[in-house]
Amino acid sequence: MSSVSRSLRPLARGASFALPLAFVMAAVSAQPVSSAPLANVVGISASSQREVPQDWLTLTLTTSRDGTEATVVQNQLRQALDAALAVARTQAAPKLLEVRTGAFGVYPRQGSNGRINGWQGTAELVLEGRDVLRITSIAGKIGSMGVGNVAFSLSRETQQALESEVQAAAIERFKSKAAEVAKAFGFEGYTLREVSVSPVEQGDRPVFARMRAASAAPMAADAPLPVEAGKSVVTITVSGSIQLR
């Protein structure tokens, strides 16, 4: 056998393995892709909502200080905040009255020439919980800070319970609507193809007292702040498609 024949034999063996693979790939690519539209598929949606009274009060107390030295302003704010905390903690209770600090900062004050000519700062104390009377009463006893903001919302527990309730109602409405649509088109039933549950949409409509920090002033001792809770609307929508059968 010549040297040329011996050199061609490995190439022939390699080609014998490559041809079947190329043939299979060509056969797969030649298969037609179905573009026929789905038949008897219907998209539907259903919603459920509920309006409930807001049961969580957030009351923010605030104070401000002004001076020529940053450290002096900071110490004054800290003293006012410490005094407020000492009073608020006497009535603190989980879920009923929870106490936490809010914003705290000291910032430079600039004159007309653009140079720093002093310092000003603010400090906040946040009172929140379910016990409206306890919160508003203790706020009236804090003389070192004034009311900056009052707002109502839903507590976490109420929100979660309401979500579950409204979601279950929305799903039942979706199923009922799907059965009605199938029957109206002359089918015995349906198969669920896909479904999505929307995030909870909460529209707060609070009735509250609001006072800006600039005009905040301590309230009279033992005088609860007059506030009134509003209502929240929780809505959940279930949407998807069904296969009529």
Side-chain angles (χ1 to χ4, degrees):
M1 182 180 296
S2 65
S3 60
V4 174
S5 299
R6 287 196 298 270
S7 63
L8 291 177
R9 291 179 63 184
L11 295 177
R13 287 197 298 269
S16 66
F17 286 96
L19 285 176
L21 177 60
F23 178 78
V24 171
M25 293 181 64
V28 172
S29 62
Q31 293 294 328
V33 178
S34 176
S35 59
L38 295 174
N40 304 327
V41 175
V42 180
I44 59 176
S45 65
S47 300
S48 180
Q49 68 176 24
R50 185 178 174 187
E51 183 180 73
V52 296
Q54 297 164 332
D55 62 343
W56 190 263
L57 171 61
T58 301
L59 190 153
T60 303
L61 299 175
T62 183
T63 188
S64 60
R65 295 291 188 274
D66 188 280
T68 57
E69 296 184 16
T71 55
V72 174
V73 173
Q74 180 175 305
N75 289 334
Q76 290 175 344
L77 291 173
R78 188 178 67 250
Q79 292 172 2
L81 185 58
D82 288 342
L85 282 169
V87 176
R89 285 169 176 163
T90 61
Q91 295 296 318
K95 307 299 181 182
L96 299 179
L97 168 56
E98 299 182 357
V99 181
R100 61 182 174 86
T101 56
F104 187 104
V106 178
Y107 314 97
R109 183 187 63 212
Q110 295 181 338
S112 57
N113 58 1
R115 296 181 178 180
I116 297 176
N117 61 4
W119 298 84
Q120 56 187 9
T122 59
E124 292 182 347
L125 179 67
V126 181
L127 311 177
E128 57 186 350
R130 292 176 177 270
D131 195 333
V132 175
L133 182 58
R134 181 186 299 217
I135 295 172
T136 55
S137 295
I138 202 66
K141 297 178 181 179
I142 297 176
S144 61
M145 307 184 80
V147 177
N149 187 64
V150 182
F152 283 90
S153 61
L154 293 180
S155 64
R156 182 178 302 177
E157 295 78 11
T158 300
Q159 178 76 22
Q160 292 175 346
L162 195 58
E163 287 178 13
S164 299
E165 180 181 332
V166 177
Q167 177 176 284
I171 291 174
E172 288 302 317
R173 289 188 178 182
F174 181 92
K175 292 163 60 177
S176 177
K177 189 173 183 178
E180 291 177 0
V181 169
K183 183 178 180 180
F185 279 106
F187 291 83
E188 294 183 357
Y190 68 91
T191 301
L192 184 64
R193 289 183 56 84
E194 59 182 15
V195 65
S196 63
V197 180
S198 72
V200 176
E201 300 177 3
Q202 179 177 332
D204 290 335
R205 293 187 292 177
V207 179
F208 54 82
R210 181 185 294 270
M211 287 178 278
R212 295 297 181 185
S215 60
M219 298 178 295
D222 300 324
L225 180 69
V227 296
E228 180 181 355
K231 293 183 177 181
S232 289
V233 179
V234 175
T235 303
I236 292 183
T237 299
V238 178
S239 58
S241 61
I242 59 173
Q243 176 80 56
L244 304 181
R245 57 179 176 77

